[in-house]
């Protein structure tokens, strides 16, 4: 079997899809008037729950496809393990710097750098650094390492930063979300603990050869079904894989929501099984897709994911600021923050909108971002010798 050296459209389309969904989640953050957690079953409704729940697909897809892309680059770009490791290390460091600078400012719109934030770009960066070291191991050893991290980290859910054998700051970085002071008067808020995410990226690297198989479509579909079957076998009996057990609710629909309501911070085994299962099924459906109305926009966004990510934060946050000022409402909540409340939070329902308006704003954001991504992809294609463009 001769490996293909072309970019795989199914991967780019899947990546584009989750970028679009991610923009929906962040639009909801800034424009919704809901003063509750959308997955809090005691307060939410079906529309809010599903709007939030579908976006769970995003982060695992970023991580797993980044790992698969690292493997595929050894064929597409003829990279040796040494060159691949160097590229992953440099890109990982770049992502960490971006998270602490441009991304952090985009979320907060303030210059108070006495507190720092670690979110998905932070986790991607450190996972790439870890993979830069792992690529020198046999692929079976990497796969075992990935399975141990993904499947085993929930065994330590009972250990918290206060009673961990590790230093508090290290446990927060690796396993439990939280805030710690790394210097007097300076703190770090870690939302994406690294252990499971490193495992997801390593798993994606190990699955890379699957994307070189000519008959990968049915294999991807069956792999997705297997992940969902494993989820059901563990979840229905509340056996293992998530710190929160499901329980009967006020009706059948909310009982289903309880079964599907799992932990993202850090991502539990059950969370990863469902999202990976849906991702694999999605990849199989995108194989050979000819419907241009779907194919072309997703390909364009999927070929410029980091560019899209950086732009969408500033556009959504800036739009919320503009709308709030236009309505002559106080804008302080959009431009301030602290270590205790680092992310802008709508102070009252009058600042936001019902869900249909949120969806309308989301579509407007996508319409504005698409031509930017299209132009950026054309520039990358026209100037392939500009290596720095590959870091966006």
């Amino acid at each position: 079997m001769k490996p293909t050296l072309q970019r795989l459209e199914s991967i780019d389309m899947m990546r584009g899809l989750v970028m679009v969904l991610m923009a929906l989640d962040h639009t909801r953050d800034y424009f919704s008037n809901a003063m509750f957690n959308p997955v809090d079953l005691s307060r939410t409704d079906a529309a809010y729950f599903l709007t939030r729940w579908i976006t769970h697909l995003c982060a695992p897809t970023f991580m797993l496809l980044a790992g698969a892309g690292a493997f595929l680059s050894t064929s597409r770009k003829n990279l040796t393990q040494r060159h691949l490791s160097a590229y992953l290390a440099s890109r990982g460091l770049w992502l960490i710097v971006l998270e602490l600078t441009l991304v952090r400012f985009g979320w907060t719109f303030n210059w108070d750098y006495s507190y720092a934030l670690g979110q998905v770009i932070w986790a991607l960066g450190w996972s790439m650094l870890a993979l830069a070291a792992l690529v020198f191991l046999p692929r079976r050893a990497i796969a075992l390492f990935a399975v141990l991290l993904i499947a085993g980290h929930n065994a330590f859910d009972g250990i918290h930063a206060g009673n961990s054998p590790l230093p508090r700051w290290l446990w927060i970085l690796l396993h439990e979300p939280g805030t710690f002071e790394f210097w007097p008067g300076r703190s770090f808020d870690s939302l994406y603990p690294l252990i499971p995410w490193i495992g997801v990226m390593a798993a994606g690297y190990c699955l890379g050869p699957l994307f070189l198989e000519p008959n990968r479509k049915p294999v991807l579909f069956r792999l997705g079904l297997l992940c969902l079957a494993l989820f059901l076998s563990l979840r229905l009996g509340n056996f293992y894989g998530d710190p929160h057990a499901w329980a009967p609710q006020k009706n059948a629909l909310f009982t289903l929501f309880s079964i599907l309501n799992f932990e993202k911070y850090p991502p539990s085994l059950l969370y990863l099984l469902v999202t990976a299962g849906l991702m694999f099924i999605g990849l199989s459906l995108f194989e050979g897709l000819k419907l241009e109305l779907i194919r072309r926009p997703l390909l364009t966004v999927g070929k410029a994911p980091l560019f899209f990510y950086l732009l969408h934060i500033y556009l959504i946050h800036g739009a919320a600021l503009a709308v709030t000022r236009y309505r002559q409402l106080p804008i302080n909540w959009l431009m301030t923050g602290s270590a205790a409340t680092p992310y802008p939070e709508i102070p009252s329902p009058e600042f936001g909108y019902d869900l249909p308006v949120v969806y309308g704003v989301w579509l407007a954001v996508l319409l504005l971002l698409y031509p930017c991504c299209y132009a950026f992809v054309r520039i990358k294609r026209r100037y392939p010798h500009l290596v720095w463009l590959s870091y966006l």
Side-chain angles (χ1 to χ4, degrees):
M1 186 271 296
K2 182 179 179 180
T4 178
L5 301 180
Q6 302 295 320
R7 287 184 69 100
L8 294 177
E9 288 193 348
S10 59
I11 288 181
D12 283 332
M13 282 190 281
M14 192 68 214
R15 191 181 287 118
L17 174 63
V18 296
M19 298 306 294
V20 167
L21 293 176
M22 176 196 65
L24 170 61
D25 194 38
H26 297 159
T27 303
R28 179 191 55 78
D29 284 333
Y30 283 101
F31 282 90
S32 169
N33 60 9
M35 303 301 294
F36 53 82
N37 185 338
V39 294
D40 180 355
L41 297 183
S42 66
R43 304 183 65 189
T44 193
D45 61 30
Y48 274 102
F49 180 89
L50 293 173
T51 297
R52 171 58 174 157
W53 189 89
I54 192 61
T55 64
H56 284 337
L57 188 63
C58 301
T61 300
F62 297 158
M63 295 287 178
L64 196 140
L65 293 185
F71 178 89
L72 293 173
S73 66
T74 60
S75 295
R76 192 175 70 249
K77 299 180 181 179
N78 295 317
L79 296 181
T80 64
Q81 285 180 326
R82 181 178 177 182
H83 289 128
L84 174 61
S85 177
Y87 174 74
L88 288 169
S90 62
R91 185 170 176 83
L93 289 172
W94 168 238
L95 291 177
I96 292 169
V97 170
L98 279 181
E99 179 71 84
L100 299 176
T101 54
L102 290 179
V103 174
R104 182 243 182 261
F105 181 79
W107 279 108
T108 64
F109 277 9
N110 71 59
W111 298 104
D112 179 12
Y113 278 83
S114 63
Y115 67 97
L117 309 176
Q119 300 188 84
V120 66
I121 302 299
W122 164 268
L124 272 168
W126 282 105
S127 296
M128 285 187 176
L129 285 175
L131 188 59
L134 291 172
V135 294
F136 294 104
L137 298 177
R139 199 155 55 88
R140 288 187 178 182
I142 301 174
L144 177 61
F145 176 79
V147 170
L148 288 175
L149 293 190
I150 293 171
H153 80 95
N154 284 120
F156 301 93
D157 287 340
I159 300 176
H160 301 289
N163 60 5
S164 166
L166 297 177
R168 182 177 181 276
W169 64 269
L170 185 57
W171 192 248
I172 287 175
L173 287 177
L174 294 178
H175 190 270
E176 182 182 25
T179 302
F180 62 89
E181 194 173 63
F182 63 89
W183 196 264
R186 298 186 179 275
S187 62
F188 184 83
D189 183 34
S190 173
L191 192 61
Y192 278 70
L194 300 178
I195 285 179
W197 294 119
I198 290 172
V200 173
M201 186 172 289
Y205 179 84
C206 294
L207 289 170
L210 171 59
F211 293 97
L212 297 177
E213 294 290 339
N215 64 334
R216 58 183 172 268
K217 180 173 182 175
V219 178
L220 286 167
F221 190 82
R222 289 195 294 268
L223 184 57
L225 292 180
L226 175 61
C227 289
L228 296 179
L230 287 173
F231 160 76
L232 289 174
S233 66
L234 291 171
R235 184 58 162 170
L236 293 182
N238 280 326
F239 294 121
Y240 176 78
D242 195 274
H244 310 295
W246 71 272
Q249 302 294 313
K250 59 185 178 182
N251 56 43
L253 179 61
F254 271 68
T255 297
L256 175 62
F257 288 169
S258 181
I259 294 172
L260 296 175
N261 200 13
F262 23 64
E263 184 61 57
K264 179 182 179 180
Y265 307 105
S268 69
L269 170 62
L270 299 183
Y271 171 96
L272 292 173
L273 283 174
V274 169
T275 52
L278 294 176
M279 183 204 66
F280 287 128
I281 292 173
L283 284 167
S284 71
L285 296 177
F286 283 142
E287 284 286 338
L289 182 68
K290 301 300 183 184
L291 185 58
E292 289 297 307
L293 186 62
I294 296 176
R295 174 181 169 274
R296 188 174 297 277
L298 293 185
L299 276 178
T300 300
V301 174
K303 290 178 179 179
L306 183 56
F307 181 79
F308 179 98
Y309 184 90
L310 292 172
L311 281 186
H312 98 285
I313 296 174
Y314 283 83
L315 178 57
I316 294 171
H317 194 169
L321 180 63
V323 169
T324 303
R325 182 182 288 275
Y326 175 77
R327 296 172 64 194
Q328 298 183 342
L329 295 170
I331 62 173
N332 292 344
W333 70 277
L334 282 163
M335 302 185 69
T336 60
S338 66
T341 56
Y343 307 99
E345 296 180 357
I346 293 179
S348 63
E350 66 176 334
F351 284 82
Y353 299 90
D354 293 335
L355 205 52
V357 177
V358 172
Y359 273 83
V361 175
W362 169 58
L363 292 175
V365 166
L366 295 179
L367 289 174
L368 290 171
L369 287 174
Y370 178 76
C372 300
C373 292
Y374 180 78
F376 180 73
V377 170
R378 291 194 65 181
I379 291 172
K380 286 180 68 175
R381 188 184 301 122
R382 185 174 181 180
Y383 302 104
H385 57 285
L386 297 179
V387 179
W388 64 270
L389 287 174
S390 67
Y391 286 82
L392 289 175

